[in-house]
Amino acid sequence: MTRESQHISTDFLVLGSGLAGLTFALHAAGHGQVTILTKAELFESNTSYAQGGIAAAIGESDSWKLHEEDTLTAGAGLCDPGAVRFLVQNAPDSIHWLATLGVRFDREEGATSLTDWALGREGGHSRNRIVHHADRTGWEVERAMNAAVRAHPNVKIFENAFATDLLQADGRCVGARAVLAEEREVDFLAAQTMLATGGAGRLYQHSTNPRIATGDGLALALRAGVPCSDLEFVQFHPTTLYHPQLRSFLITEAARGEGGTLRTHDGDRFMYDFDEQLELAPRDIVARAIDEEMRRRDTWCVYLDLTHLPRERIERHFPTIIEKLNSVGIQPHRHWIPIVPAQHYMCGGVITDLTAQTGMPGLLASGEVARTGVHGANRLASNSLLEAMVFAKAGAQAAVATKIERPTHFEEPQVRRCVPESDAIRLRRVLQKIMMERVGIVRRDAGMNSALMESEALLSDFAALPEAPYSQYSMEAHNLLTVAPHLIRAALARRENVGLHFNADLVQS
Ligand code: FAD
Ligand code: SIN
């Protein structure tokens, strides 16, 4: 690897090109030079895979107050009410902003107005309020946002640029170090840095998240001592495909919103035993119910039944899912879909305020890497794309309002070393299995204690391995190994069952 002696200077440095990073970039770009670093291609992000849509109270019988109530209920008493109100009140404007960028949301049949959007339903929502683009909302959002940032004269984009460290000077974040495509290590100095690196789904053996979700931003923040919290609240999506060729492919909750039901192999609609909202109960309840049924009946999966729904309706609403299912021989109008829960979303992260400021001056965070307080103990479906937009915009507005000179110097960060890829792969796989089995939907003290010891030992093993040439895979494994013990400690410290955190040892007998 070669090290560039010259640094690159910018006003705003953005790490990540999902909805949070690109929203920040577009709102800041009118006020200074924006530089985006993203570790794969611009399009690659959790955002691009979002299916169901974005929640906003824009329907006639809806109001931000109802959206607020539903968000607070899902969060199980641990949301920050101020952050929730800020989120839901800004939701309709965010949707209109996306539409002005060219995002084509589905419209009602026979709609006369351009903004007469079709509103879907998902678990925990008391109204239909999910705007969407069939079952590929994220793809459509990312398409329009990518075009907008690429066209902006003040935005410079570095693809395949992997951020390895935050740069600091006198306790302030002054940018980031990154390895670019040709294995050139470059320091980017910025007046303000936005951390928008997304989630850490790859901590788990089964996750809906794509390969980029390796908790890099969280690890960068933890290593720099930036305060993080709520890491124990890991959301499992109830319905991901159980199939050897397409494991963990998401089947959107909107399919249940359209009337899909959950059944055991003998046809029992088991949600009757768990919650009066049945299949549209909040995700934590549905995922736990499925987990319990699978354990009780000693089966590998349960089923999502769409066979009673009009075929034409399923095909119109879920074209991507139908295509995927057909590719493995499942025809949802005839067959029940085998499903299992899989890791989906991190509710916790870097603590931020309403303007995306973290505990470190000069560093902002937004999107899945951040803990804004809107999710509490459990995220309401389709609130996360919304959160990414609302807080990234507020962060950009605050950042441009604070006139900060571009920094010229930084303190040398600790050297990060790589280990042989084969070892990184091995350690990462062991970790993923530990997390899945012992820090998943149902946890126990003994399992979490052993998971903590073993994950710490894996981190020590990593440090003891021989040094190897630069490998992004090794860096990502190190990041996952860094995040895991923090998450497990948070789960052990939470002595109540609330929202997504369920410790079977805390159940009163
Ligand atoms: P991401 O979109 O994940 O973007 C992170 C970016 O950071 C990527 O570009 C990545 O390459 C980059 N990056 C990461 N590490 C580094 C590094 N070290 N250096 C440089 N760049 C880096 N939410 C909803 O609200 N509605 C939905 O319908 C919905 N459906 C979903 C379906 C699926 C299958 C998945 C996985 C998630 C879904 N979610 C949904 C959740 C939502 O998509 C994410 O929470 C949200 O997109 C996160 O946006 P983000 O900008 O924070 O991160
Ligand atoms: C889905 O489409 O079911 C995912 C929605 C979300 O994660 O908010």
Side-chain angles (χ1 to χ4, degrees), residues 445-488:
D445 284 331
M448 288 190 284
N449 275 314
S450 66
L452 179 59
M453 267 171 43
E454 289 170 38
S455 66
E456 284 173 340
L458 292 174
L459 192 55
S460 306
D461 289 352
F462 185 98
L465 283 163
E467 188 161 354
Y470 173 77
S471 142
Q472 184 172 315
Y473 201 89
S474 164
M475 289 274 182
E476 290 172 338
H478 186 228
N479 288 338
L480 291 169
L481 291 166
T482 303
V483 172
H486 287 270
L487 191 160
I488 303 168

mmCIF file of all heavy atoms in Angstrom, residues 445-488:
data_model
loop_
_atom_site.group_PDB
_atom_site.id
_atom_site.type_symbol
_atom_site.label_atom_id
_atom_site.label_comp_id
_atom_site.label_asym_id
_atom_site.label_seq_id
_atom_site.Cartn_x
_atom_site.Cartn_y
_atom_site.Cartn_z
ATOM 1 N N ASP A 445 -28.568 -15.223 30.284
ATOM 2 C CA ASP A 445 -27.353 -14.681 30.910
ATOM 3 C C ASP A 445 -26.125 -15.544 30.611
ATOM 4 O O ASP A 445 -25.073 -15.022 30.227
ATOM 5 C CB ASP A 445 -27.540 -14.572 32.417
ATOM 6 C CG ASP A 445 -28.423 -13.386 32.779
ATOM 7 O OD1 ASP A 445 -28.412 -12.402 32.014
ATOM 8 O OD2 ASP A 445 -29.131 -13.452 33.794
ATOM 9 N N ALA A 446 -26.282 -16.856 30.791
ATOM 10 C CA ALA A 446 -25.112 -17.726 30.620
ATOM 11 C C ALA A 446 -24.596 -17.641 29.183
ATOM 12 O O ALA A 446 -23.380 -17.531 28.944
ATOM 13 C CB ALA A 446 -25.471 -19.169 30.963
ATOM 14 N N GLY A 447 -25.519 -17.661 28.222
ATOM 15 C CA GLY A 447 -25.137 -17.587 26.804
ATOM 16 C C GLY A 447 -24.432 -16.272 26.496
ATOM 17 O O GLY A 447 -23.410 -16.236 25.806
ATOM 18 N N MET A 448 -24.969 -15.180 27.033
ATOM 19 C CA MET A 448 -24.358 -13.873 26.740
ATOM 20 C C MET A 448 -23.001 -13.741 27.426
ATOM 21 O O MET A 448 -22.073 -13.166 26.858
ATOM 22 C CB MET A 448 -25.289 -12.750 27.181
ATOM 23 C CG MET A 448 -26.501 -12.620 26.271
ATOM 24 S SD MET A 448 -27.457 -11.130 26.609
ATOM 25 C CE MET A 448 -28.307 -11.580 28.117
ATOM 26 N N ASN A 449 -22.885 -14.281 28.648
ATOM 27 C CA ASN A 449 -21.588 -14.213 29.333
ATOM 28 C C ASN A 449 -20.526 -14.980 28.560
ATOM 29 O O ASN A 449 -19.404 -14.494 28.366
ATOM 30 C CB ASN A 449 -21.712 -14.760 30.758
ATOM 31 C CG ASN A 449 -22.202 -13.676 31.705
ATOM 32 O OD1 ASN A 449 -21.708 -12.557 31.671
ATOM 33 N ND2 ASN A 449 -23.198 -13.993 32.522
ATOM 34 N N SER A 450 -20.883 -16.177 28.076
ATOM 35 C CA SER A 450 -19.886 -16.941 27.321
ATOM 36 C C SER A 450 -19.626 -16.255 25.973
ATOM 37 O O SER A 450 -18.495 -16.234 25.480
ATOM 38 C CB SER A 450 -20.321 -18.401 27.130
ATOM 39 O OG SER A 450 -21.461 -18.459 26.306
ATOM 40 N N ALA A 451 -20.659 -15.650 25.391
ATOM 41 C CA ALA A 451 -20.473 -14.938 24.120
ATOM 42 C C ALA A 451 -19.497 -13.776 24.304
ATOM 43 O O ALA A 451 -18.640 -13.515 23.451
ATOM 44 C CB ALA A 451 -21.809 -14.428 23.600
ATOM 45 N N LEU A 452 -19.617 -13.094 25.452
ATOM 46 C CA LEU A 452 -18.717 -11.966 25.714
ATOM 47 C C LEU A 452 -17.269 -12.445 25.825
ATOM 48 O O LEU A 452 -16.361 -11.894 25.176
ATOM 49 C CB LEU A 452 -19.151 -11.238 26.993
ATOM 50 C CG LEU A 452 -18.293 -10.052 27.399
ATOM 51 C CD1 LEU A 452 -18.260 -8.993 26.298
ATOM 52 C CD2 LEU A 452 -18.807 -9.415 28.697
ATOM 53 N N MET A 453 -17.088 -13.500 26.624
ATOM 54 C CA MET A 453 -15.717 -14.008 26.801
ATOM 55 C C MET A 453 -15.125 -14.459 25.470
ATOM 56 O O MET A 453 -13.983 -14.148 25.123
ATOM 57 C CB MET A 453 -15.729 -15.205 27.758
ATOM 58 C CG MET A 453 -15.487 -14.794 29.194
ATOM 59 S SD MET A 453 -15.764 -16.167 30.305
ATOM 60 C CE MET A 453 -14.998 -17.543 29.494
ATOM 61 N N GLU A 454 -15.938 -15.183 24.713
ATOM 62 C CA GLU A 454 -15.415 -15.724 23.443
ATOM 63 C C GLU A 454 -15.184 -14.616 22.410
ATOM 64 O O GLU A 454 -14.224 -14.675 21.639
ATOM 65 C CB GLU A 454 -16.365 -16.792 22.896
ATOM 66 C CG GLU A 454 -16.310 -18.070 23.736
ATOM 67 C CD GLU A 454 -17.397 -19.069 23.378
ATOM 68 O OE1 GLU A 454 -17.721 -19.206 22.184
ATOM 69 O OE2 GLU A 454 -17.923 -19.722 24.297
ATOM 70 N N SER A 455 -16.033 -13.616 22.391
ATOM 71 C CA SER A 455 -15.824 -12.546 21.394
ATOM 72 C C SER A 455 -14.587 -11.727 21.761
ATOM 73 O O SER A 455 -13.835 -11.289 20.884
ATOM 74 C CB SER A 455 -17.068 -11.675 21.240
ATOM 75 O OG SER A 455 -17.312 -10.973 22.432
ATOM 76 N N GLU A 456 -14.368 -11.537 23.061
ATOM 77 C CA GLU A 456 -13.137 -10.819 23.471
ATOM 78 C C GLU A 456 -11.899 -11.642 23.117
ATOM 79 O O GLU A 456 -10.876 -11.098 22.686
ATOM 80 C CB GLU A 456 -13.187 -10.514 24.969
ATOM 81 C CG GLU A 456 -14.116 -9.352 25.269
ATOM 82 C CD GLU A 456 -14.335 -9.104 26.763
ATOM 83 O OE1 GLU A 456 -14.094 -10.023 27.580
ATOM 84 O OE2 GLU A 456 -14.750 -7.997 27.106
ATOM 85 N N ALA A 457 -12.036 -12.959 23.274
ATOM 86 C CA ALA A 457 -10.892 -13.823 22.932
ATOM 87 C C ALA A 457 -10.616 -13.768 21.419
ATOM 88 O O ALA A 457 -9.457 -13.781 20.987
ATOM 89 C CB ALA A 457 -11.176 -15.259 23.368
ATOM 90 N N LEU A 458 -11.687 -13.664 20.622
ATOM 91 C CA LEU A 458 -11.489 -13.577 19.164
ATOM 92 C C LEU A 458 -10.738 -12.296 18.792
ATOM 93 O O LEU A 458 -9.875 -12.291 17.910
ATOM 94 C CB LEU A 458 -12.840 -13.612 18.434
ATOM 95 C CG LEU A 458 -13.623 -14.932 18.496
ATOM 96 C CD1 LEU A 458 -14.998 -14.764 17.856
ATOM 97 C CD2 LEU A 458 -12.863 -16.071 17.824
ATOM 98 N N LEU A 459 -11.069 -11.221 19.504
ATOM 99 C CA LEU A 459 -10.379 -9.947 19.245
ATOM 100 C C LEU A 459 -8.894 -10.067 19.618
ATOM 101 O O LEU A 459 -8.017 -9.575 18.883
ATOM 102 C CB LEU A 459 -11.062 -8.827 20.047
ATOM 103 C CG LEU A 459 -10.685 -7.388 19.720
ATOM 104 C CD1 LEU A 459 -10.864 -7.054 18.250
ATOM 105 C CD2 LEU A 459 -11.517 -6.422 20.562
ATOM 106 N N SER A 460 -8.623 -10.750 20.720
ATOM 107 C CA SER A 460 -7.214 -10.955 21.102
ATOM 108 C C SER A 460 -6.521 -11.857 20.078
ATOM 109 O O SER A 460 -5.354 -11.622 19.720
ATOM 110 C CB SER A 460 -7.100 -11.626 22.470
ATOM 111 O OG SER A 460 -7.819 -10.910 23.403
ATOM 112 N N ASP A 461 -7.228 -12.896 19.614
ATOM 113 C CA ASP A 461 -6.648 -13.777 18.579
ATOM 114 C C ASP A 461 -6.264 -12.967 17.350
ATOM 115 O O ASP A 461 -5.212 -13.160 16.751
ATOM 116 C CB ASP A 461 -7.663 -14.842 18.124
ATOM 117 C CG ASP A 461 -7.910 -15.885 19.215
ATOM 118 O OD1 ASP A 461 -7.194 -15.847 20.227
ATOM 119 O OD2 ASP A 461 -8.836 -16.711 19.035
ATOM 120 N N PHE A 462 -7.156 -12.051 16.981
ATOM 121 C CA PHE A 462 -6.905 -11.209 15.804
ATOM 122 C C PHE A 462 -5.594 -10.444 16.002
ATOM 123 O O PHE A 462 -4.733 -10.419 15.123
ATOM 124 C CB PHE A 462 -8.083 -10.240 15.602
ATOM 125 C CG PHE A 462 -7.996 -9.406 14.356
ATOM 126 C CD1 PHE A 462 -8.691 -9.783 13.203
ATOM 127 C CD2 PHE A 462 -7.230 -8.248 14.310
ATOM 128 C CE1 PHE A 462 -8.621 -9.018 12.047
ATOM 129 C CE2 PHE A 462 -7.147 -7.479 13.166
ATOM 130 C CZ PHE A 462 -7.850 -7.875 12.029
ATOM 131 N N ALA A 463 -5.449 -9.841 17.198
ATOM 132 C CA ALA A 463 -4.262 -9.018 17.468
ATOM 133 C C ALA A 463 -2.985 -9.852 17.452
ATOM 134 O O ALA A 463 -1.896 -9.347 17.155
ATOM 135 C CB ALA A 463 -4.426 -8.325 18.817
ATOM 136 N N ALA A 464 -3.112 -11.153 17.773
ATOM 137 C CA ALA A 464 -1.911 -11.999 17.864
ATOM 138 C C ALA A 464 -1.509 -12.604 16.515
ATOM 139 O O ALA A 464 -0.439 -13.219 16.404
ATOM 140 C CB ALA A 464 -2.174 -13.123 18.870
ATOM 141 N N LEU A 465 -2.347 -12.445 15.502
ATOM 142 C CA LEU A 465 -2.039 -13.050 14.194
ATOM 143 C C LEU A 465 -0.922 -12.287 13.493
ATOM 144 O O LEU A 465 -0.726 -11.087 13.746
ATOM 145 C CB LEU A 465 -3.302 -13.044 13.315
ATOM 146 C CG LEU A 465 -4.328 -14.124 13.669
ATOM 147 C CD1 LEU A 465 -5.685 -13.796 13.053
ATOM 148 C CD2 LEU A 465 -3.840 -15.494 13.181
ATOM 149 N N PRO A 466 -0.206 -12.947 12.589
ATOM 150 C CA PRO A 466 0.855 -12.241 11.877
ATOM 151 C C PRO A 466 0.275 -11.150 10.976
ATOM 152 O O PRO A 466 -0.861 -11.274 10.507
ATOM 153 C CB PRO A 466 1.493 -13.341 11.014
ATOM 154 C CG PRO A 466 0.499 -14.434 10.950
ATOM 155 C CD PRO A 466 -0.319 -14.356 12.193
ATOM 156 N N GLU A 467 1.072 -10.117 10.785
ATOM 157 C CA GLU A 467 0.610 -9.022 9.941
ATOM 158 C C GLU A 467 0.604 -9.457 8.472
ATOM 159 O O GLU A 467 1.466 -10.230 8.045
ATOM 160 C CB GLU A 467 1.510 -7.801 10.134
ATOM 161 C CG GLU A 467 0.946 -6.603 9.435
ATOM 162 C CD GLU A 467 1.525 -5.293 9.946
ATOM 163 O OE1 GLU A 467 2.281 -5.312 10.931
ATOM 164 O OE2 GLU A 467 1.216 -4.266 9.321
ATOM 165 N N ALA A 468 -0.384 -8.987 7.722
ATOM 166 C CA ALA A 468 -0.504 -9.364 6.310
ATOM 167 C C ALA A 468 -0.746 -8.098 5.485
ATOM 168 O O ALA A 468 -1.042 -7.046 6.050
ATOM 169 C CB ALA A 468 -1.668 -10.331 6.143
ATOM 170 N N PRO A 469 -0.627 -8.205 4.150
ATOM 171 C CA PRO A 469 -0.879 -7.028 3.315
ATOM 172 C C PRO A 469 -2.299 -6.499 3.508
ATOM 173 O O PRO A 469 -3.175 -7.236 3.970
ATOM 174 C CB PRO A 469 -0.702 -7.561 1.879
ATOM 175 C CG PRO A 469 0.050 -8.820 2.013
ATOM 176 C CD PRO A 469 -0.229 -9.377 3.372
ATOM 177 N N TYR A 470 -2.495 -5.249 3.090
ATOM 178 C CA TYR A 470 -3.800 -4.619 3.284
ATOM 179 C C TYR A 470 -4.929 -5.471 2.710
ATOM 180 O O TYR A 470 -4.831 -5.993 1.592
ATOM 181 C CB TYR A 470 -3.839 -3.233 2.614
ATOM 182 C CG TYR A 470 -5.218 -2.642 2.667
ATOM 183 C CD1 TYR A 470 -5.698 -2.084 3.854
ATOM 184 C CD2 TYR A 470 -6.073 -2.686 1.568
ATOM 185 C CE1 TYR A 470 -6.983 -1.579 3.937
ATOM 186 C CE2 TYR A 470 -7.362 -2.184 1.651
ATOM 187 C CZ TYR A 470 -7.808 -1.628 2.837
ATOM 188 O OH TYR A 470 -9.083 -1.142 2.919
ATOM 189 N N SER A 471 -5.997 -5.617 3.490
ATOM 190 C CA SER A 471 -7.186 -6.321 3.015
ATOM 191 C C SER A 471 -8.405 -5.672 3.661
ATOM 192 O O SER A 471 -8.479 -5.570 4.897
ATOM 193 C CB SER A 471 -7.090 -7.803 3.412
ATOM 194 O OG SER A 471 -8.353 -8.294 3.790
ATOM 195 N N GLN A 472 -9.327 -5.226 2.836
ATOM 196 C CA GLN A 472 -10.552 -4.593 3.371
ATOM 197 C C GLN A 472 -11.325 -5.605 4.214
ATOM 198 O O GLN A 472 -11.929 -5.267 5.223
ATOM 199 C CB GLN A 472 -11.412 -4.071 2.221
ATOM 200 C CG GLN A 472 -12.637 -3.326 2.714
ATOM 201 C CD GLN A 472 -13.401 -2.647 1.605
ATOM 202 O OE1 GLN A 472 -12.801 -2.010 0.738
ATOM 203 N NE2 GLN A 472 -14.714 -2.775 1.607
ATOM 204 N N TYR A 473 -11.278 -6.858 3.774
ATOM 205 C CA TYR A 473 -11.998 -7.910 4.487
ATOM 206 C C TYR A 473 -11.487 -8.026 5.932
ATOM 207 O O TYR A 473 -12.261 -8.178 6.878
ATOM 208 C CB TYR A 473 -11.835 -9.238 3.752
ATOM 209 C CG TYR A 473 -12.916 -10.206 4.124
ATOM 210 C CD1 TYR A 473 -14.112 -10.243 3.416
ATOM 211 C CD2 TYR A 473 -12.768 -11.051 5.212
ATOM 212 C CE1 TYR A 473 -15.136 -11.095 3.790
ATOM 213 C CE2 TYR A 473 -13.782 -11.908 5.594
ATOM 214 C CZ TYR A 473 -14.952 -11.931 4.877
ATOM 215 O OH TYR A 473 -15.962 -12.768 5.256
ATOM 216 N N SER A 474 -10.166 -7.938 6.066
ATOM 217 C CA SER A 474 -9.563 -8.020 7.393
ATOM 218 C C SER A 474 -9.984 -6.813 8.247
ATOM 219 O O SER A 474 -10.308 -6.945 9.431
ATOM 220 C CB SER A 474 -8.041 -8.089 7.242
ATOM 221 O OG SER A 474 -7.421 -7.802 8.463
ATOM 222 N N MET A 475 -9.983 -5.630 7.628
ATOM 223 C CA MET A 475 -10.394 -4.409 8.355
ATOM 224 C C MET A 475 -11.840 -4.546 8.823
ATOM 225 O O MET A 475 -12.189 -4.167 9.948
ATOM 226 C CB MET A 475 -10.301 -3.191 7.421
ATOM 227 C CG MET A 475 -8.893 -2.783 7.096
ATOM 228 S SD MET A 475 -8.302 -1.682 8.402
ATOM 229 C CE MET A 475 -6.684 -1.266 7.826
ATOM 230 N N GLU A 476 -12.688 -5.089 7.946
ATOM 231 C CA GLU A 476 -14.108 -5.231 8.301
ATOM 232 C C GLU A 476 -14.281 -6.242 9.441
ATOM 233 O O GLU A 476 -15.083 -6.035 10.358
ATOM 234 C CB GLU A 476 -14.917 -5.669 7.081
ATOM 235 C CG GLU A 476 -15.036 -4.568 6.042
ATOM 236 C CD GLU A 476 -15.666 -5.030 4.741
ATOM 237 O OE1 GLU A 476 -15.657 -6.242 4.446
ATOM 238 O OE2 GLU A 476 -16.137 -4.156 3.988
ATOM 239 N N ALA A 477 -13.518 -7.329 9.364
ATOM 240 C CA ALA A 477 -13.604 -8.336 10.433
ATOM 241 C C ALA A 477 -13.189 -7.695 11.766
ATOM 242 O O ALA A 477 -13.823 -7.905 12.803
ATOM 243 C CB ALA A 477 -12.706 -9.526 10.108
ATOM 244 N N HIS A 478 -12.130 -6.887 11.721
ATOM 245 C CA HIS A 478 -11.674 -6.211 12.942
ATOM 246 C C HIS A 478 -12.768 -5.294 13.483
ATOM 247 O O HIS A 478 -13.003 -5.225 14.703
ATOM 248 C CB HIS A 478 -10.379 -5.433 12.647
ATOM 249 C CG HIS A 478 -9.771 -4.845 13.878
ATOM 250 N ND1 HIS A 478 -9.351 -3.543 13.954
ATOM 251 C CD2 HIS A 478 -9.535 -5.386 15.106
ATOM 252 C CE1 HIS A 478 -8.884 -3.301 15.177
ATOM 253 N NE2 HIS A 478 -8.979 -4.406 15.885
ATOM 254 N N ASN A 479 -13.452 -4.619 12.576
ATOM 255 C CA ASN A 479 -14.535 -3.732 13.025
ATOM 256 C C ASN A 479 -15.653 -4.529 13.687
ATOM 257 O O ASN A 479 -16.177 -4.144 14.742
ATOM 258 C CB ASN A 479 -15.080 -2.925 11.838
ATOM 259 C CG ASN A 479 -14.083 -1.851 11.401
ATOM 260 O OD1 ASN A 479 -13.220 -1.451 12.176
ATOM 261 N ND2 ASN A 479 -14.194 -1.404 10.161
ATOM 262 N N LEU A 480 -16.034 -5.646 13.087
ATOM 263 C CA LEU A 480 -17.098 -6.474 13.686
ATOM 264 C C LEU A 480 -16.664 -6.988 15.060
ATOM 265 O O LEU A 480 -17.443 -6.982 16.020
ATOM 266 C CB LEU A 480 -17.439 -7.653 12.765
ATOM 267 C CG LEU A 480 -18.139 -7.275 11.455
ATOM 268 C CD1 LEU A 480 -18.200 -8.470 10.501
ATOM 269 C CD2 LEU A 480 -19.549 -6.747 11.722
ATOM 270 N N LEU A 481 -15.404 -7.408 15.136
ATOM 271 C CA LEU A 481 -14.887 -7.919 16.417
ATOM 272 C C LEU A 481 -14.816 -6.810 17.469
ATOM 273 O O LEU A 481 -14.920 -7.068 18.669
ATOM 274 C CB LEU A 481 -13.495 -8.534 16.218
ATOM 275 C CG LEU A 481 -13.456 -9.842 15.419
ATOM 276 C CD1 LEU A 481 -12.028 -10.184 14.995
ATOM 277 C CD2 LEU A 481 -14.039 -10.993 16.236
ATOM 278 N N THR A 482 -14.642 -5.577 17.016
ATOM 279 C CA THR A 482 -14.609 -4.436 17.947
ATOM 280 C C THR A 482 -16.001 -4.139 18.490
ATOM 281 O O THR A 482 -16.184 -3.857 19.674
ATOM 282 C CB THR A 482 -14.068 -3.175 17.212
ATOM 283 O OG1 THR A 482 -12.776 -3.488 16.695
ATOM 284 C CG2 THR A 482 -13.998 -1.965 18.116
ATOM 285 N N VAL A 483 -16.996 -4.198 17.598
ATOM 286 C CA VAL A 483 -18.365 -3.820 17.986
ATOM 287 C C VAL A 483 -19.011 -4.869 18.898
ATOM 288 O O VAL A 483 -19.699 -4.540 19.869
ATOM 289 C CB VAL A 483 -19.239 -3.601 16.722
ATOM 290 C CG1 VAL A 483 -20.707 -3.404 17.091
ATOM 291 C CG2 VAL A 483 -18.722 -2.407 15.914
ATOM 292 N N ALA A 484 -18.770 -6.163 18.596
ATOM 293 C CA ALA A 484 -19.511 -7.242 19.266
ATOM 294 C C ALA A 484 -19.453 -7.172 20.802
ATOM 295 O O ALA A 484 -20.513 -7.206 21.458
ATOM 296 C CB ALA A 484 -19.028 -8.600 18.764
ATOM 297 N N PRO A 485 -18.277 -7.052 21.417
ATOM 298 C CA PRO A 485 -18.272 -7.035 22.891
ATOM 299 C C PRO A 485 -19.070 -5.864 23.470
ATOM 300 O O PRO A 485 -19.699 -6.007 24.518
ATOM 301 C CB PRO A 485 -16.780 -6.918 23.244
ATOM 302 C CG PRO A 485 -16.051 -7.396 22.025
ATOM 303 C CD PRO A 485 -16.906 -7.032 20.862
ATOM 304 N N HIS A 486 -19.051 -4.731 22.788
ATOM 305 C CA HIS A 486 -19.842 -3.580 23.282
ATOM 306 C C HIS A 486 -21.328 -3.924 23.267
ATOM 307 O O HIS A 486 -22.066 -3.618 24.194
ATOM 308 C CB HIS A 486 -19.590 -2.344 22.408
ATOM 309 C CG HIS A 486 -18.234 -1.735 22.624
ATOM 310 N ND1 HIS A 486 -18.001 -0.762 23.568
ATOM 311 C CD2 HIS A 486 -17.050 -1.983 22.026
ATOM 312 C CE1 HIS A 486 -16.715 -0.426 23.550
ATOM 313 N NE2 HIS A 486 -16.116 -1.152 22.618
ATOM 314 N N LEU A 487 -21.753 -4.569 22.178
ATOM 315 C CA LEU A 487 -23.169 -4.932 22.052
ATOM 316 C C LEU A 487 -23.558 -5.945 23.145
ATOM 317 O O LEU A 487 -24.591 -5.813 23.807
ATOM 318 C CB LEU A 487 -23.401 -5.502 20.653
ATOM 319 C CG LEU A 487 -24.837 -5.729 20.182
ATOM 320 C CD1 LEU A 487 -24.884 -5.817 18.657
ATOM 321 C CD2 LEU A 487 -25.495 -6.941 20.786
ATOM 322 N N ILE A 488 -22.690 -6.917 23.337
ATOM 323 C CA ILE A 488 -23.026 -7.969 24.314
ATOM 324 C C ILE A 488 -23.055 -7.388 25.727
ATOM 325 O O ILE A 488 -23.953 -7.697 26.523
ATOM 326 C CB ILE A 488 -22.032 -9.149 24.221
ATOM 327 C CG1 ILE A 488 -22.014 -9.719 22.786
ATOM 328 C CG2 ILE A 488 -22.419 -10.259 25.206
ATOM 329 C CD1 ILE A 488 -20.871 -10.688 22.511
#
